Amino acid sequence: MKILTIDDSTTMRRIIINTLARIGYKDVVQADNGKTGLQKLDEGGVDVIITDWNMPEMDGLEFVKRVRSGPYKEVPILMVTTNAAKEDIVEALQAGVNNYVVKPFTPETLKEKIELLINS
């Protein structure tokens, strides 16, 4: 299974990639914003997307809206962000996010959310 992780923070991408590797997901591609995320999607084979919300050039919410209106609309999306307000979560879900994780998170939380996406 190939996972695309999108975050403008190199450190956060590394944390997510290392966490994914520890829970058994080693096929991970990365992007630093929504624009490069769309380019990675176009390269094909992505099964799950993990995206940050706050990024330059194209934020996570705009990225999600574009994915949901294009050829990859069926790919499950997990949003990982510091935005914890209820209205933010509702906005993300309305945009098409399948699930939501608030930073900081544990490897167990990430594993649980990914398994929910895959098995739903």
Side-chain angles (χ1 to χ4, degrees), residues 4-118:
L4 169 61
T5 182
I6 309 165
D7 199 302
D8 57 316
S9 164
T10 306
T11 303
M12 196 65 216
R13 285 197 315 269
R14 191 167 41 246
I15 289 167
I16 291 171
I17 289 166
N18 290 340
T19 301
L20 289 170
R22 268 186 301 204
I23 60 177
Y25 302 106
K26 298 186 184 338
D27 189 2
V28 182
V29 291
Q30 54 183 312
D32 58 357
N33 62 54
K35 268 189 179 171
T36 52
L38 290 173
Q39 291 167 0
K40 296 292 181 179
L41 265 179
D42 284 339
E43 292 171 12
V46 172
D47 300 296
V48 174
I49 299 165
I50 300 173
T51 185
D52 186 21
W53 186 318
N54 300 305
M55 298 178 288
E57 292 193 54
M58 182 189 293
D59 68 18
L61 202 59
E62 178 62 27
F63 170 80
V64 169
K65 289 175 182 175
R66 296 239 187 134
V67 170
R68 289 298 177 238
S69 66
Y72 311 106
K73 59 179 165 249
E74 301 304 318
V75 178
I77 301 173
L78 176 66
M79 186 165 276
V80 180
T81 183
T82 55
N83 296 14
K86 186 177 179 190
E87 55 270 14
D88 290 338
I89 295 169
V90 169
E91 187 178 5
L93 291 170
Q94 287 174 338
V97 168
N98 298 87
N99 218 318
Y100 202 94
V101 176
V102 177
K103 296 176 191 175
F105 56 85
T106 64
E108 293 77 26
T109 300
L110 190 62
K111 181 179 186 199
E112 181 183 305
K113 298 286 186 174
I114 289 172
E115 287 175 353
L116 282 170
L117 288 182
I118 294 166

